[in-house]
Amino acid sequence: MSAQDGEPQGRKFTDEELQDLVASTDSGARSPANRQIALLISGLALAWSLFQLWIAQPQLWFGEYLPVLNSSQTRPIHLFFAIVLAFLAYPALKSSPRQYIPVGDWLLAAIGGFCTLYIFVFSEHLALTARSGLPTQTQIIVGSVGLVVLLEASRRALGPALTVVGSLFLLYAYMGTGWLIPELIEHEGLSFKALINAQWLDTAGVFGIPLGVSTAFVFLFVLFGSLLDKAGAGNYFIKLAFAGLGHLRGGPAKAAVVGSAMTGLISGSSIANVVTTGTFTIPLMKRVGFTNEQAGSVEVASSVNGQIMPPVMGAAAFLMVEFIGISYVEVIKHAFIPAVISYIALVYIVHLEALKKDMPALGEAKSFPAMILKFFIGFAVAGAAFTGLIYLVGALRSVVPTLTGPIMMVALLAVYVWLVSIAARRPDLEVDDPNAAEIKLPKVGDVYATGLHFVLPIVVLVWFLMVERQSPAKSAFYATSLMLLIIVTQRPLKALMRGTADNMWNEARQGFDDLKEGLIAGARNMIGIGVATAAAGIIVATVTKTPIGTELAGLVEQLSGGVLIIMLILVGVFSLILGMGLPTTANYIVVSSLMASVVVSLGAQEGLIVPLIAAHLFVFYFGIMADVTPPVGLASFAAAAVSGGDPIRTGFTAFFYSLRTVALPFLFIFNPTLILYGVDLGTVSGVAQAVFVFIIATFAMLLFAAATQGYFLARSRIHESAALLLVAFTLFVPNVWLNMLQPPFREVPPAQFETVLGEVAEGTQLRLQIEGPDFNTGGTAATTLTMNAEGATPAERIRNSGLLLIPEGDIVRLDEPAFGTEAAEALGNFDFYADSPVFLAAVQVPRDRLPEQVFYIPALLLLGLVIAMQRRRQTKPAF
């Protein structure tokens, strides 16, 4: 075989094989020939979706007639559907039959279903027995069988990775010691009864927080995305991206990036994203000069980036809410800038590739800066309209508070009908053939009007999340409810408005068929996620019941020799390895359970205060890179199946394109302002700071992309690329240089702590270095604690912090902090009752320093020098 430029080529899959690849990964590859069995699988999936909509609706009007289920009851039912469908929809092996379901699979589905329903039926009895520490023999048998069946369901739906990891954690929790278990994380081991009780019967293992998030939030968002796609929004987004960007140099690649970003908003699967958008974009990228591997890599990089894109983030956003204890809006706030600048940089990367290869545009070439200007104008207009809507609704509430809801519903329906009438004036969008002899790019004016009504559910979702500050579950329910209305009514409404009223019945029937198929597809797409969150609960329970969670920091510290940057690199590598072969949801649960606290504790030991959200985003970014990186880069293999390229080379090229995603976590660890940590968006100054951070970060990321691609205005020489990297680094983290020039803190003796505390202004943040015996190892531990000076007097400020200080001459000893305070949580690993005391080792007070932005001046001068050198060699416009 051969490919462009004489490169080796892999086998290019047919459309049927590609759909089978997605099905095998996301929804189950089995397709029974027996109609009754096929209907049974579809019926179970449909029942699952209807059950999830039932428990999600916020008005409990039925509580007078029917029992209202609590979380300990809904989670087993959720897992019941997932585990039964996993055995019915996923064959045991690649060689297993797909046209019928073997008897063994029926048996496993029945056993798995029984073990999950047992938890539902006997939930009250379990509360009095197993969950009180007194499990019965029957419960232990049910739990042990349930765990084995769950791990097998995980293997079928997700591959062997999570099953192997979960099994190893079960063995570690049970055995505690052994020649393969490092001494640092040894423990006495749990009894078999205690193990099964913790993992299956209690509410902190399989039926713990991860499965709870899947039940309450994730299903609705996956269903929402499935209905949007079934209604035609997926094709609409791709067409819109090509209409806007297809006329530029390397336009198909830019459209692939933007299209994947838009589908990533509604998709929880990077593999499905690759195949859905890639079947259209990859052939077009190859037509304008991208090699097989490059075309596949662009699609991989953009599709995997969809997992870091709010609002869904591959369901990780909802898990972060539970794990970190912050609101969903806060998670979106922190994740937004890194995700957006990463996508902007990827668009620039493919632009540079197009310049390097002098690629033609598809059709008449258009101006890239003009496109960017139009985008920002459109964004500003949409933002102004949304802001105006907020004030309009606020005024309406002040005038007729009781009628505001009904009026808004009527207005929403009127806008929907109006937008459908606009769409009805144009023909429905067809799926284009990328291999056609002549490619005719659509015009933005012809495309955008055909799907404006698809934006309404997204607006409703954002409105309830950001403006009404409702829970993610309630917000998703309202958005999904509108989506249900749209998918059923859009076809008959168009028929009526096009003057073909006699066809309305057929169109209405097709709308209900779309609804049914969307509900079934949404449930089948949830099988893997439901099983993954349940199996990942095994890891979470093991971390809480054994010392592995607290002692991993010591292992990383030993391996790194105490060098902070090496520690972070090791944590990133461990997260990458742990994430291999796992879907995004399970991936995040595993890496965050094991590694997020390691980043925080190691940073504190080295004097770097890392916000918990930054640590979670750090490990999450590295975890999803496992979808890219060989040898287990599932998204890279999917892209190679579309492009016909070599999967390993595709993976390495995609990793190179994704270097910005690798660099970002390090940057916001050292400069948390990049994730808007500490920025108050409720004030004008906070919004201005956020805009400033976004502009600087975008500019810096573009320079980073140019440096890693070896092309800016012309092909870069090594010293020019190094200079661009230096400029980008300075723009991202100018505080690093400032800390070298002027230390951020001055140290005062611990004995003078109270004196200094009385001198500083209220709200000043001091850093306290604490040392003392470690509760788990008995050795000496150290950490850095932040303390805000809140109160009128030093004594009041100390009391508000929760610290209990006992001065003894030049030494200030610490007693156990007040329960429930931040200090108690931060110092939880210290043994306050050991022979050696826990004491205050040093006090650091902030200095008055130069503004860190002063380092932008030499950085921009260096950038000007690079521009001057490259202008002499520039042969084509930079944009």
Side-chain angles (χ1 to χ4, degrees), residues 39 44 50 95 123 260 293 312 396-397 415 489 588 679 757:
L39 286 175
L44 281 171
L50 294 176
S95 57
S123 60
S260 292
E293 284 74 22
V312 179
L396 190 63
R397 278 205 178 102
V415 171
T489 60
Y588 170 69
V679 177
L757 198 56

Side-chain angles (χ1 to χ4, degrees), residues 18 25 79-80 82 111 130 215 275 400 419 429 436 488 500 598-599 618 624 642 654 715 719 741 803 811 867 869:
L18 289 172
T25 308
L79 184 56
F80 164 80
I111 293 172
T215 306
V275 174
V400 281
L419 294 178
L429 297 176
V488 169
T500 55
V598 174
V599 176
F618 181 92
I624 63 166
V642 179
R715 288 189 182 275
H719 62 276
L741 182 66
L803 293 172
I811 296 176
I867 291 173
M869 289 189 293

Side-chain angles (χ1 to χ4, degrees), residues 56-77:
Q57 55 89 28
Q59 306 301 325
L60 301 178
W61 52 268
F62 59 86
E64 187 178 345
Y65 314 101
L66 295 171
V68 177
L69 302 180
N70 58 38
S71 61
S72 65
Q73 295 169 314
T74 56
R75 293 175 189 180
I77 297 177

Side-chain angles (χ1 to χ4, degrees), residues 73-260:
Q73 295 169 314
T74 56
R75 293 175 189 180
I77 297 177
H78 181 82
L79 184 56
F80 164 80
F81 282 111
I83 209 167
V84 170
L85 285 169
F87 286 111
L88 298 184
Y90 288 86
L93 303 167
K94 287 185 178 179
S95 57
S96 298
R98 298 190 178 191
Q99 302 305 310
Y100 67 92
I101 301 175
V103 175
D105 288 2
W106 284 110
L107 188 60
L108 286 170
I111 293 172
F114 170 79
C115 292
T116 52
L117 285 182
Y118 181 90
I119 304 298
F120 167 71
V121 174
F122 296 101
S123 60
E124 292 184 6
H125 181 60
L126 284 166
L128 300 174
T129 54
R131 291 166 188 170
S132 299
L134 301 169
T136 65
Q137 188 64 29
T138 302
Q139 292 168 350
I140 295 299
I141 293 170
V142 170
S144 55
V145 172
L147 278 175
V148 173
V149 174
L150 172 63
L151 288 172
E152 168 58 14
S154 167
R155 185 195 66 79
R156 292 188 182 208
L158 309 166
L162 186 56
T163 301
V164 171
V165 172
S167 301
L168 290 174
F169 272 78
L170 285 174
L171 285 172
Y172 164 72
Y174 177 66
M175 297 174 65
T177 61
W179 65 277
L180 282 176
I181 299 176
E183 184 179 349
L184 190 65
I185 59 172
E186 284 184 346
H187 65 106
E188 62 183 13
L190 301 177
S191 68
F192 186 76
K193 181 182 287 188
L195 178 68
I196 301 303
N197 191 25
Q199 296 289 0
W200 189 269
L201 304 175
D202 200 359
T203 55
V206 167
F207 298 96
I209 287 175
L211 187 66
V213 172
S214 178
T215 306
F217 307 142
V218 179
F219 193 102
L220 286 177
F221 277 85
V222 171
L223 181 61
F224 177 64
S226 175
L227 292 171
L228 260 178
D229 186 60
K230 194 64 189 174
N235 185 44
Y236 171 70
F237 289 153
I238 295 172
K239 283 284 188 85
L240 197 60
F242 265 87
L245 300 169
H247 296 278
L248 306 174
R249 284 179 180 267
K254 291 170 183 168
V257 174
V258 176
S260 292

Side-chain angles (χ1 to χ4, degrees), residues 15 55 93 175 260 283 737 768:
D15 287 343
I55 64 173
L93 303 167
M175 297 174 65
S260 292
W737 304 118
L768 312 180

Side-chain angles (χ1 to χ4, degrees), residues 96 98 107 172-173 190 262 315 318 331 358 394 439 487 501 530 600 645 685 693 710 733 736 763 767 798 843 873-874:
S96 298
R98 298 190 178 191
L107 188 60
Y172 164 72
L190 301 177
M262 290 191 286
F318 314 114
V331 172
D358 202 18
I439 297 295
I487 202 170
V600 175
S685 60
V693 168
V733 283
V736 171
R767 294 193 176 193
I798 293 173
V843 178
R873 307 194 307 274
Q874 185 177 1

